[in-house]
Amino acid sequence: ILLSVAIKSRRFHSRFVKWRDWRLDFGKVIRRRRRALGIAQDALAELAGLHRTYISLLERGLRNPTIDVVARLAHSLQTTMT
């Protein structure tokens, strides 16, 4: 759900996904889900085995997460990647 929502939320004017747009959308999905669960960034970071600043960077669209990070976040946020 995390990955598909982020990608489907954009209207693309070309065949290619702009990475910056994708990262921003992904970050918004992470932040929205985290807040809906009432989890702070540091608590999510601990659950996912990541650093709090990395969660912040992801939510702001400043980092490109690996598939492993997406899987860990999905598990920690009690959702799926698809």
Side-chain angles (χ1 to χ4, degrees), residues 9-24:
S9 68
R10 280 280 173 201
R11 291 184 184 168
F12 299 108
H13 299 285
S14 70
R15 297 176 5 176
F16 302 102
V17 176
K18 294 180 181 179
W19 284 107
R20 177 70 178 156
D21 293 342
W22 180 87
R23 290 189 308 241
L24 283 171

Side-chain angles (χ1 to χ4, degrees), residues 19-32:
W19 284 107
R20 177 70 178 156
D21 293 342
W22 180 87
R23 290 189 308 241
L24 283 171
D25 289 342
F26 182 78
K28 289 176 186 177
V29 172
I30 296 296
R31 179 177 286 139
R32 188 171 34 244

Side-chain angles (χ1 to χ4, degrees), residues 26-59:
F26 182 78
K28 289 176 186 177
V29 172
I30 296 296
R31 179 177 286 139
R32 188 171 34 244
R33 180 70 179 164
R34 176 181 61 77
R35 287 180 174 170
L37 293 172
I39 301 173
Q41 284 182 343
D42 55 345
L44 176 58
E46 187 173 330
L47 287 171
L50 302 168
H51 197 275
R52 184 200 55 80
T53 57
Y54 186 67
I55 299 295
S56 174
L57 292 169
L58 285 173
E59 288 185 354

Side-chain angles (χ1 to χ4, degrees), residues 64-76:
N64 191 20
T66 64
I67 196 72
D68 179 58
V69 168
V70 173
R72 289 158 61 179
L73 287 169
H75 179 75
S76 300

